[in-house]
Amino acid sequence: MEIACLQTAGTTGDPEANLAALEIAATDAVARGAELLVTPEMFLTGYDLGPDTPERVRALAPGLLDRVRDTARRHGLALVVGMPEVEGGHCYNGAVFVGPDGEVLGRHRKVHLFGDVDRAAFSAGDQLVSTVRFRGLTIAMLICYDVEFPEAVRAAALAGAHLVVVPTAQMHPFEWVAEQLVRVRAWENQVYVAYVDHDGHEGAFDYVGRSSVVGPDGVVLASVEHGEALLVARVDADRVARQRRENPYLTDRRGPLYGALVQD
């Protein structure tokens, strides 16, 4: 399956502009043969909206999911879109997986909150990894800081994931995460990783860009440093199976000995 990943600066605090950008990216993705398009973290509203981020994000959240579902349906394209979700008095930093018919197939709420913006604006999700079965692939969703915890990607691999999609808002000085850690996560779990970042400046942050799609052997299949770009790469379940035969970390692991490592 071909997947597309949108690196963009977006427009902070302006969902209409970002929905328009999603339309353009969806048109391009379909023309290039993609069946799934992934956006950065909190793409529809922006991530750092200033001192009043918590209030502004909550105010902008209503109705966004319906617009995303409509975009997916009109283009016949699956979408993973970073956006806020408000439920039960809580606001979550979320990613929603919408199928090409507009149905919500899954969602992930960021588990590991990072820094003042996350902790001030959002509640933490309580599901380590979220998976969706789509077009013969198991696709896991994480958000930004989540991928920096080896337990999260390992849990995705053990759940049968072929692909881990990671909407992110990675900022300077953490370029090494995009350049090195993402490749390690793909290699040590024999999964594809699609790491999809913002670019440019927003609030207090200078984003590192450096979006990429990495294969299950740690090889970078598509990447960009800075600027707006739509990356397209092929995800192949057979390649995952082959890599797991050649690099048997998952079968050679001795789970019963690791229990103490994951206890608080």
Side-chain angles (χ1 to χ4, degrees):
M1 183 176 76
E2 301 287 339
I3 66 167
C5 303
L6 175 64
Q7 176 170 294
T8 180
T11 306
T12 305
D14 190 344
E16 290 298 327
N18 295 321
L19 285 162
L22 183 63
E23 284 282 331
I24 294 169
T27 300
D28 191 7
V30 170
R32 296 174 65 182
E35 297 180 71
L36 171 66
L37 169 63
V38 185
T39 79
E41 178 180 8
M42 290 294 290
F43 167 66
L44 290 186
T45 60
Y47 177 66
D48 182 6
L49 280 67
D52 56 348
T53 290
E55 295 78 16
R56 291 185 67 191
V57 165
R58 283 177 177 267
L60 294 170
L64 294 181
L65 181 55
D66 287 340
R67 301 286 296 279
V68 171
R69 293 178 64 190
D70 182 59
T71 298
R73 191 163 40 238
R74 284 186 290 99
H75 290 274
L77 177 68
L79 302 171
V80 174
V81 178
M83 58 190 292
E85 288 197 287
V86 178
E87 181 179 79
H90 296 278
C91 186
Y92 298 97
N93 180 334
V96 179
F97 195 125
V98 178
D101 58 358
E103 292 303 307
V104 176
L105 301 181
R107 49 175 34 93
H108 182 70
R109 291 166 174 174
K110 190 174 185 179
V111 172
H112 302 92
L113 301 181
F114 177 83
D116 294 340
V117 172
D118 259 349
R119 295 189 177 103
F122 305 111
S123 298
D126 58 8
Q127 187 167 331
L128 182 59
V129 63
S130 308
T131 61
V132 169
R133 189 71 179 170
F134 180 69
R135 300 283 164 86
L137 299 174
T138 299
I139 300 172
M141 292 179 286
L142 301 174
I143 297 175
C144 199
Y145 194 37
D146 288 340
V147 81
E148 298 179 40
F149 292 79
E151 299 88 347
V153 187
R154 179 53 53 87
L158 293 175
H162 302 98
L163 166 66
V164 180
V165 296
V166 190
T168 190
Q170 186 62 271
M171 69 288 289
H172 178 78
F174 302 111
E175 288 87 348
W176 61 272
V177 173
E179 293 172 347
Q180 300 175 42
L181 186 142
V182 170
R183 294 185 66 187
V184 172
R185 290 289 176 266
W187 163 262
E188 68 191 0
N189 293 287
Q190 302 87 58
V191 293
Y192 289 87
V193 178
Y195 189 77
V196 188
D197 199 7
H198 289 267
D199 193 40
H201 308 281
E202 183 184 56
F205 301 132
D206 292 321
Y207 292 120
V208 305
R210 294 171 168 79
S211 297
S212 66
V213 181
V214 181
D217 52 2
V219 173
V220 177
L221 305 177
S223 65
V224 63
E225 185 167 348
H226 286 296
E228 184 149 332
L230 189 73
L231 305 179
V232 176
R234 179 178 292 274
V235 175
D236 183 351
D238 290 340
R239 184 173 177 181
V240 171
R242 182 169 62 253
Q243 187 61 28
R244 288 179 178 172
R245 289 192 299 269
E246 295 175 359
N247 181 14
Y249 286 162
L250 298 184
T251 54
D252 287 351
R253 58 190 293 275
R254 298 184 63 193
L257 300 182
Y258 307 155
L261 298 177
V262 296
Q263 302 303 314
D264 288 335

